[in-house]
Amino acid sequence: MNKYKIAVFVGSLRKESLNLKTAKALMALAPESLSLELVSIGELPLFNEDLEETPPREWEDFRAKIRAADGLLFVTPEYNRSVPGVLKNAIDVGSRPYGENSWDGKPGAVVSVSPGSISGFGANHHLRQSLVFVNVPAMAQPEAYLGDAASLFDESGNLTNDSTKDFLKSFMEAFAKWVDTNTKKQAA
Ligand code: FNR
């Protein structure tokens, strides 16, 4: 079976990141039709259009990874009611140089994760706003806001309750359909 290649982006650089733990859980729960790979964003030099004359190798490699993907999964914390700078930088790097937007047309999905009760809603929707501009059709439903996330994992990073596991599994099943539908639509 041909699998869809999904690039996974995590908006936190912390070793013990709850978002990274969630991303790993999502990857483990994904259906067979998806092949998922974490793409690191922490080493990307800050976007500066002056550098486009000789783009940093990290930008080139990152853009190539986006272009090679069939779909995009974003798992993000909320910083000050928005997307962490490191993830916004990655979006900006991938969107340029002008006319060569690597994100263009790739189906995506957004999950926000927070130890708080508002569950990263602000970051989730700020990210969706940027995705509209870079032409990533982001899955509308189901939405995924994981709140109180510190209680969701044990010390080894495993999910502690079945209802979250079931929800994340159904989220990934819906995402697989979203990728399939959008890919076929574009090919038609
Ligand atoms: C936060 N945090 C936070 N949480 C939230 O729900 N809404 C917010 O606006 C913010 N703002 C914020 C700003 C900054 C600069 C930091 C460092 C943190 C708390 C945040 O959700 C918490 O640190 C998470 O654990 C971050 O995600 P990871 O690193 O665990 O994946």
Side-chain angles (χ1 to χ4, degrees):
M1 173 172 66
N2 259 351
K3 294 190 176 206
Y4 288 116
K5 283 180 70 173
I6 308 299
V8 182
F9 306 90
V10 176
S12 168
L13 306 181
R14 249 170 28 92
K15 276 203 291 288
E16 290 301 317
S17 162
L18 295 165
N19 282 269
L20 179 60
K21 288 175 186 168
T22 304
K24 287 180 176 168
L26 288 161
M27 290 166 79
L29 292 165
E32 283 284 297
S33 60
L34 303 183
S35 160
L36 299 102
E37 191 191 335
L38 279 168
V39 175
S40 63
I41 59 174
E43 73 290 354
L44 295 174
L46 285 179
F47 185 73
N48 172 351
E49 208 155 13
D50 292 345
L51 303 185
E52 288 292 13
E53 258 180 51
T54 317
R57 186 185 43 78
E58 294 88 341
W59 289 7
E60 304 263 53
D61 291 349
F62 182 68
R63 289 164 175 167
K65 282 180 186 164
I66 300 169
R67 284 195 300 271
D70 301 305
L72 314 163
L73 176 63
F74 297 90
V75 186
T76 187
E78 176 174 88
Y79 280 4
N80 301 311
R81 294 283 180 261
S82 187
V83 177
V86 69
L87 182 53
K88 183 58 167 60
N89 184 54
I91 300 284
D92 296 341
V93 168
S95 70
R96 294 281 160 148
Y98 184 75
E100 293 176 42
N101 168 21
S102 300
W103 307 106
D104 191 27
K106 312 235 174 219
V110 178
V111 177
S112 57
V113 180
S114 170
S117 55
I118 302 178
S119 317
F121 177 88
N124 191 308
H125 284 261
H126 275 187
L127 179 56
R128 286 172 182 274
Q129 182 171 320
S130 294
L131 294 180
V132 169
F133 193 66
V134 297
N135 196 31
V136 168
M139 184 170 72
Q141 292 291 342
E143 298 164 276
Y145 311 100
L146 287 200
D148 197 17
S151 70
L152 297 179
F153 299 95
D154 65 19
E155 281 169 11
S156 314
N158 299 311
L159 285 167
T160 52
N161 73 78
D162 286 342
S163 63
T164 305
K165 216 177 278 179
D166 291 347
F167 170 67
L168 296 183
K169 190 165 188 284
S170 63
F171 182 88
M172 290 309 285
E173 281 161 3
F175 179 48
K177 282 191 193 138
W178 182 247
V179 172
D180 186 54
T181 305
N182 278 273
T183 304
K184 286 180 177 152
K185 215 186 274 175
Q186 283 178 33

